[in-house]
Amino acid sequence: MAPTMETGTSTSPRQNGPHQSSLLSALSHRDGGLRDRQEAGLASALGWVGIGLGAACVAAPATVGRWIGTKDTDGALQAIGLRELVSGVGILASRRPASWLWGRVAGDVIDLAYLANALHRPESDKPRVIATVLAVLGVTALDVLGAEQISERPARRVENWGGEKGIRIHPTITVNASPDELYRFWRNFENLPHVMRYLRSVTALENGRSHWVAASPAGMTVEWTSELTEDIPGRRIAWRSVEDADVVNSGSVSFRTATGGRGTVIEVEMLYEPPGGTLGGVLAFIFGKEPGQQIREDLRAYKAFVETGEVPTICGQPSGRAGQSTCRTGE
Amino acid sequence: MKANCWFGVGDMRVVDVPDPTIINPRDAIIKVTATAICGSDLHLYDGFIPTMQSGDIVGHEFMGEVVEVGPGVKNLKVGDRVVNPFPIACGNCLLCKEGLHSLCENSNPNRWMAEKLWGHSPCGIFGYSHMVGGYAGGQAEYVRIPYADVGPIKVPDTVTDEQVLFLSDIFPTGYMAAEQCNIRRGDTIAIWGCGPVGQMAIKSCFLFGAERVIAIDRFPARLRMAREKGGAEVLNYEEVDVREALREMTGGRGPDHCIDAVGSEGHLPGSAGLYDKLKTALMLETDRAPSLRQAILACRPGGTVAVPGVYGGFIDKFPIGAIVNKSLTIRSGQTHVQRYMRPLLQRVEKGEIDPSFVITHRLKLADAPGAYRMFRDKEDECIKVVLRP
């Protein structure tokens, strides 16, 4: 069993159409580059900062040297500038900007060593060097943050999303039961709140439509009506929200027999526009109520329920803690 | 009820907690009649296991009398005398069906925590941190048993509590390590660590047909028990160079198979031991593994190194080159206790083995905090403590 979860948020490709300068397009908007990622902002900003600083160091090392207080003339700053230029272009143009960002982190360490050395040189302007050290530390933190952001989750573009911003979750799990049994459970959407704890209720309406009520991160509820877009018995069910949805979303669940007949692989795919926009999605991710994790946990609970007839829990068991009983962590 | 709870590193306390109740249909409640402190409980006590929460009830070796069963438990009834395995396993998932109960796919509600550390999660375990479920343990007057139709087994009145209590963990654990060595008649097995699991492993190796067992420790009482009760030859690693001694004792060939029954808090004299102390102190590795390294280096080419000792995180200077160039097999795992309980109960009933020989201290549950300290510090020649509520 290897559930996977991926989130990725596309910025609208239309914003950055062919009317922009060709250099800018080439650098920051190549297919597979940064444009698909919510973290594009920070990473590309760091790329441009690198190019700007790098150009300054290469073109006017003496001036930069005075600014930062090192006053050196031995070419070290030009070398640093060249490195900044290369890594900046690398971040913006590369299909794998993460490695370039990690390269920047390594570069920051070199810069800090250079500055530490400068502190001991008599000709240095020490207050300025110290200020520079602090600035470089800040940039290092940003570089690490940016590199971690785009290293962790291989993002995928949201297809057929009409250029809107959205989040895609794609958990999978293997359950010891036949595809038909599992399909029957899922096809009756009213069963889903038993499994998916973020769902408060699902009510079947006419014409394959259903009304969904779900908990949102702030403790409020959101509602929408869905329609079936695909229904292949024993194989696959797909749905999408119709007009006036609080959360524009679509999803599918498919069932296939695992290799060797070892159960059924359930693949869920959900696309949605998070309440509060992409920022809401990012905040939810940072502060823990990240829906991918939640849905993956819910799928596990579902697996346990199907296989064992109950969902394992420690809610309600005793402990030596005062007050409330221990409960499931990670909710 | 009274329960022994973890409140921090070196801080166990017996306090009043609410009685457990049936939560799920397949639960049962057991009134504990005997429980033991396991060597792996010391890892909790010493703070080597992350995701403990202050107030967690500990203890995973216990037995008792069924006092309540959920509607889903058909094979047990109130009044049954049972021994309970430390892993919690559903019996329904793919891995349970393969007999790999300690890898149950369903019983740990906090799988995601364990996955962060290990890629996948083992089963839920009683009283052994939230990363393996956060289940309340059995060093208490009562305990809730999830999937009670799969775990606990009934024991006849012809055997005493002390004879069968260790079916819950250490006997199957030592036995599985010996089984993993694929012992052939005439083999020589070296075992690092003569704590309770090491003692059970010594006995088990002989049950599997080993001709010689060489047991390694530094505490005279443990070595004496290994020699007198287990029939092992013994080495005190503070007095001899273990690898050299093993080479000499085996005609230069090395022990056919090795068992590391020490786990993550091993000691070694000299620079090698100091190295791990330093690295763990600096948080550069989480586990100390001098015994594992030594077992790998000492083992005869083509042999097996079985690791029943518990490791939780990362070690360095792992001699992978020796494993490759000596064609060693490394085997490990939390014990699939459910798989071994019935056959081992039969061995106890037949009188082939009486695991109670390891018990050195019989105390009350209320004495648990002092017992942990004594066991950790190896005071009073303490090897195994049994607590009675």
Side-chain angles (χ1 to χ4, degrees):
Chain A
M1 189 186 66
T4 58
M5 177 279 293
E6 294 171 37
T7 60
T9 313
S10 72
T11 56
S12 165
R14 285 185 185 78
Q15 285 170 0
N16 306 309
H19 58 273
Q20 287 182 330
S21 83
S22 58
L23 173 66
L24 209 122
S25 292
L27 283 179
S28 46
H29 299 107
R30 274 175 45 185
D31 273 342
L34 283 171
R35 96 176 154 197
D36 303 338
R37 298 178 179 149
Q38 66 199 35
E39 298 84 3
L42 176 58
S44 60
L46 289 167
W48 286 111
V49 165
I51 289 174
L53 276 177
C57 291
V58 172
T63 313
V64 175
R66 270 199 310 280
W67 286 347
I68 66 173
T70 60
K71 298 178 186 164
D72 63 329
T73 47
D74 55 7
L77 265 176
Q78 270 170 316
I80 288 174
L82 200 59
R83 190 201 70 218
E84 286 282 303
L85 268 174
V86 170
S87 73
V89 172
I91 289 166
L92 293 174
S94 169
R95 281 176 174 274
R96 299 188 175 282
S99 39
W100 288 97
L101 267 171
W102 284 117
R104 270 190 67 84
V105 175
D108 294 334
V109 173
I110 295 172
D111 294 352
L112 287 168
Y114 164 76
L115 290 167
N117 183 43
L119 267 181
H120 297 295
R121 285 209 307 267
E123 71 270 23
S124 297
D125 179 346
K126 290 197 174 58
R128 275 179 185 253
V129 175
I130 288 167
T132 309
V133 166
L134 292 174
V136 172
L137 281 172
V139 171
T140 308
L142 283 176
D143 287 339
V144 170
L145 182 69
E148 281 193 334
Q149 276 182 353
I150 59 175
S151 299
E152 271 178 12
R153 286 157 281 133
R156 237 180 254 184
R157 279 183 66 189
V158 175
E159 300 296 342
N160 63 36
W161 201 245
E164 297 293 322
K165 294 179 176 188
I167 286 181
R168 174 182 185 273
I169 322 169
H170 181 213
T172 87
I173 199 161
T174 305
V175 179
N176 252 350
S178 73
D180 284 331
E181 277 173 76
L182 299 175
Y183 165 84
R184 277 197 299 277
F185 180 91
W186 283 75
R187 180 60 186 81
N188 184 359
F189 292 130
E190 295 186 347
N191 282 334
L192 295 185
H194 296 302
V195 180
M196 300 290 182
R197 277 164 299 167
Y198 75 100
L199 288 176
R200 292 284 160 81
S201 70
V202 181
T203 315
L205 307 171
E206 290 173 346
N207 308 327
R209 291 193 167 197
S210 45
H211 186 72
W212 302 58
V213 181
S216 79
M220 322 233 283
T221 58
V222 288
E223 303 189 21
W224 67 91
T225 298
S226 279
E227 62 181 7
L228 267 184
T229 54
E230 207 176 351
D231 184 14
I232 310 171
R235 298 267 306 278
R236 182 177 158 85
I237 308 162
W239 62 88
R240 71 169 169 232
S241 60
V242 297
E243 64 282 354
D244 296 333
D246 288 346
V247 181
V248 177
N249 70 91
S250 70
S252 69
V253 54
S254 39
F255 311 93
R256 64 183 156 83
T257 304
T259 51
R262 292 173 202 145
T264 297
V265 177
I266 303 180
E267 268 185 84
V268 175
E269 180 168 40
M270 296 178 89
L271 302 165
Y272 72 102
E273 190 183 325
T278 308
L279 180 63
V282 173
L283 288 178
F285 188 91
I286 293 168
F287 293 109
K289 278 267 184 182
E290 193 276 316
Q293 162 101 10
Q294 178 150 29
I295 287 174
R296 190 165 42 168
E297 294 293 300
D298 286 350
L299 277 180
R300 285 193 171 142
Y302 171 67
K303 170 186 164 75
F305 184 76
V306 170
E307 293 185 349
T308 77
E310 60 186 51
V311 176
T313 181
I314 58 169
C315 290
Q317 77 173 12
S319 81
R321 282 178 286 281
Q324 286 205 317
S325 68
T326 340
C327 221
R328 201 172 144 151
T329 333
E331 283 181 7
Chain B
M1 65 165 181
K2 297 276 184 206
N4 185 36
C5 300
W6 183 93
F7 286 94
V9 176
D11 185 7
M12 296 282 185
R13 273 177 252 159
V14 176
V15 295
D16 280 307
V17 303
D19 285 353
T21 51
I22 300 278
I23 296 171
N24 271 336
R26 291 168 66 184
D27 289 355
I29 307 290
I30 286 178
K31 181 180 195 298
V32 176
T33 55
T35 174
I37 302 177
C38 181
S40 61
D41 287 331
L42 290 183
H43 301 324
L44 304 176
Y45 192 58
D46 294 341
F48 270 68
I49 307 288
T51 73
M52 285 296 288
Q53 291 178 16
S54 176
D56 283 346
I57 303 173
V58 297
H60 57 263
E61 297 182 0
F62 57 91
M63 62 179 298
E65 184 189 318
V66 177
V67 291
E68 196 180 349
V69 291
V73 182
K74 304 296 180 202
N75 59 329
L76 296 178
K77 59 181 190 308
V78 172
D80 282 345
R81 180 167 170 248
V82 295
V83 180
N84 183 74
F86 79 84
I88 300 170
C90 76
N92 303 102
C93 68
L94 180 77
L95 294 176
C96 279
K97 284 185 189 297
E98 289 182 359
L100 303 171
H101 294 87
S102 77
L103 302 173
C104 173
E105 295 180 326
N106 287 318
S107 60
N108 179 5
N110 297 330
R111 295 184 71 79
W112 65 276
M113 291 179 157
E115 281 167 359
K116 290 211 162 148
L117 193 54
W118 299 323
H120 293 79
S121 169
C123 65
I125 295 176
F126 289 94
Y128 212 70
S129 87
H130 287 262
M131 166 164 99
V132 287
Y135 289 98
Q139 286 168 13
E141 290 180 272
Y142 296 91
V143 59
R144 164 191 168 235
I145 318 280
Y147 300 122
D149 52 334
V150 174
I153 61 161
K154 285 189 256 192
V155 289
D157 290 335
T158 50
V159 286
T160 65
D161 278 8
E162 291 187 353
Q163 283 177 300
V164 290
L165 173 60
F166 302 135
L167 292 173
S168 59
D169 180 351
I170 56 168
F171 183 20
T173 298
Y175 188 86
M176 185 167 105
E179 186 185 75
Q180 288 179 335
C181 288
N182 286 324
I183 294 169
R184 290 184 303 173
R185 210 152 276 287
D187 278 352
T188 300
I189 317 296
I191 299 179
W192 277 255
C194 298
V197 168
Q199 302 288 345
M200 295 295 154
I202 293 169
K203 288 271 190 191
S204 300
C205 286
F206 285 123
L207 288 176
F208 277 102
E211 190 168 314
R212 296 170 69 195
V213 174
I214 302 168
I216 301 146
D217 206 300
R218 63 175 166 149
F219 295 102
R222 291 170 166 218
L223 291 170
R224 197 182 330 122
M225 182 181 276
R227 193 174 57 236
E228 290 172 5
K229 303 285 175 68
E233 298 156 64
V234 298
L235 292 176
N236 184 329
Y237 67 76
E238 286 185 332
E239 291 168 4
V240 297
D241 179 323
V242 169
R243 278 174 56 204
E244 200 179 298
L246 286 173
R247 233 183 349 254
E248 280 172 11
M249 293 166 81
T250 55
R253 192 173 267 158
D256 296 294
H257 305 289
C258 295
I259 293 176
D260 172 11
V262 175
S264 61
E265 298 179 62
H267 303 81
L268 258 196
S271 57
L274 187 67
Y275 174 82
D276 281 310
K277 267 210 157 127
L278 263 173
K279 294 280 285 209
T280 47
L282 294 170
M283 307 286 238
L284 292 172
E285 63 178 357
T286 60
D287 297 14
R288 302 193 296 256
S291 52
L292 181 57
R293 291 191 195 103
Q294 206 169 54
I296 289 167
L297 293 174
C299 191
R300 191 205 78 182
T304 300
V305 177
V307 188
V310 174
Y311 292 91
F314 306 89
I315 60 166
D316 68 357
K317 304 290 179 290
F318 186 71
I320 183 67
I323 295 170
V324 170
N325 291 290
K326 299 203 293 180
S327 294
L328 298 183
T329 302
I330 307 290
R331 302 205 54 189
S332 190
Q334 295 283 359
T335 312
H336 311 298
V337 178
Q338 280 83 342
R339 186 163 98 196
Y340 298 100
M341 284 181 104
R342 283 182 179 82
L344 294 187
L345 172 62
Q346 282 174 8
R347 284 185 184 268
V348 174
E349 284 185 83
K350 281 190 225 156
E352 291 176 27
I353 180 170
D354 180 354
S356 66
F357 75 90
V358 291
I359 302 171
T360 53
H361 291 76
R362 295 166 173 86
L363 299 166
K364 303 296 286 178
L365 176 63
D367 302 325
Y372 268 82
R373 204 164 37 245
M374 174 177 66
F375 185 29
R376 180 195 61 194
D377 300 337
K378 313 290 181 292
E379 286 165 5
D380 195 27
E381 305 198 332
C382 178
I383 293 175
K384 189 72 176 174
V385 181
V386 171
L387 304 169
R388 298 228 181 224

